[in-house]
Amino acid sequence: SLQVTVEQRLAHGLTFNFNYTWARNVGDDGPFRTGYNLPSGSVSGTTQSYHMNRIDRSETAVSTPNVIHAFGVWDLPFGKGHIGGNNWLVRTLAGGWQINAIYTYASGTPALITYSGCTTPLQGQCMPDVATSYSGPARINGGFGRSSSAGRTAANLGHVQYFNVSSFQTPQLVSAPGVAALNLIGNSPRTGPYGLRNPVQWHIDSGVRRTIPIYERLAFTFEADAFNTLNHVLFSNPNATWGPGSTSFGTISSASNSPRQFEFAGHLTF
């Protein structure tokens, strides 16, 4: 990982902290197909053999390439001892204000596509095959939660597929006399096939406060805080369970955050 921090210690009423992390998390832990060596011919679409869990080596399900955390507080430079300090109107209306904000951002994690119709016995997690005859994009219908061509809204969001069901296929079936047909092990990458990722997550909280001197050692402070200030919707991960012709695969059915909320407070300091 690469970690960068920019910090402004309190000066002229301003302080802020900015943190950025670039990271790549690779492993074969978490959801995996099997804990055994895979002999030649056991994986659909290839004659390659794999050492234990090697087929599952990929970005982990929590790999987040870019993360930003930033926060700051600023005492506005107006009023007594600052800009307009000699003007009664400026001191009365603009003095004693402070604003603050917190911003977070995280890249989407790799999508983990699984297969709902697997018949392979003793398999830990079933994955489909990458469709060999498919040449279109696996990621469809624009940004998460919107589609300008279809006019999608939150009310019908669960009906929009953002992953193309045609980009995967059923793993190869094998059979023997007197034995039911079984799937070979699916060859789709464990995470992020076709570069598919879950929605980006970002969030802003902010607040404002004003301190009004009442007497020499007495002051009243009013605070107003807004959580999810921009009322921005964060979407849950799309349905990543694949099946032939599935209409729910790749759809998002819910939000992962709450609508904007306000909190007000007042207190005396002495």
Side-chain angles (χ1 to χ4, degrees), residues 134 136-140 162-165 167-168 193-196 249:
Y134 183 73
R139 177 71 171 83
I140 55 175
Y162 296 99
F163 298 162
N164 196 325
V165 69
S167 57
F168 299 94
Y194 296 103
L196 293 175
F249 173 68

Side-chain angles (χ1 to χ4, degrees), residues 152-194:
R152 301 300 184 184
T153 65
N156 57 15
L157 184 62
H159 302 288
V160 181
Q161 289 183 286
Y162 296 99
F163 298 162
N164 196 325
V165 69
S166 299
S167 57
F168 299 94
Q169 65 186 28
T170 302
Q172 181 182 347
L173 287 168
V174 293
S175 61
V179 180
L182 300 175
N183 290 119
L184 293 182
I185 293 174
N187 63 31
S188 174
R190 180 177 68 103
T191 63
Y194 296 103

Side-chain angles (χ1 to χ4, degrees), residues 19 38 88 106 145:
N19 299 283
L38 299 178
W88 176 85

Side-chain angles (χ1 to χ4, degrees), residues 190-239:
R190 180 177 68 103
T191 63
Y194 296 103
L196 293 175
R197 304 191 77 89
N198 295 313
V200 166
Q201 304 289 301
W202 65 270
H203 190 80
I204 297 177
D205 295 329
S206 61
V208 61
R209 65 165 54 187
R210 189 186 184 193
T211 300
I212 304 172
I214 297 177
Y215 191 63
E216 181 179 355
R217 297 185 178 181
L218 179 65
F220 173 76
T221 299
F222 169 78
E223 301 179 31
D225 296 298
F227 303 97
N228 188 11
T229 305
L230 301 181
N231 205 28
H232 172 70
V233 179
L234 299 180
F235 294 102
S236 301
N237 293 343
N239 182 334

Side-chain angles (χ1 to χ4, degrees), residues 13-28:
L14 174 66
T15 180
F16 67 82
N17 189 290
F18 174 88
N19 299 283
Y20 168 73
T21 300
W22 173 87
R24 180 174 170 81
N25 191 327
V26 177
D28 58 17

Side-chain angles (χ1 to χ4, degrees), residues 23 34 50 52 69 77 83 124 154 162 176 181 187 190 200 215 224 261:
T34 175
Y50 294 89
M52 182 175 61
H69 294 283
I83 298 172
Y162 296 99
N187 63 31
R190 180 177 68 103
V200 166
Y215 191 63
Q261 298 179 10

Side-chain angles (χ1 to χ4, degrees), residues 116-137:
S116 62
C118 181
T119 59
T120 310
L122 305 179
Q123 187 170 339
Q125 179 63 67
C126 295
M127 282 78 170
D129 273 8
V130 173
T132 55
S133 60
Y134 183 73
S135 59

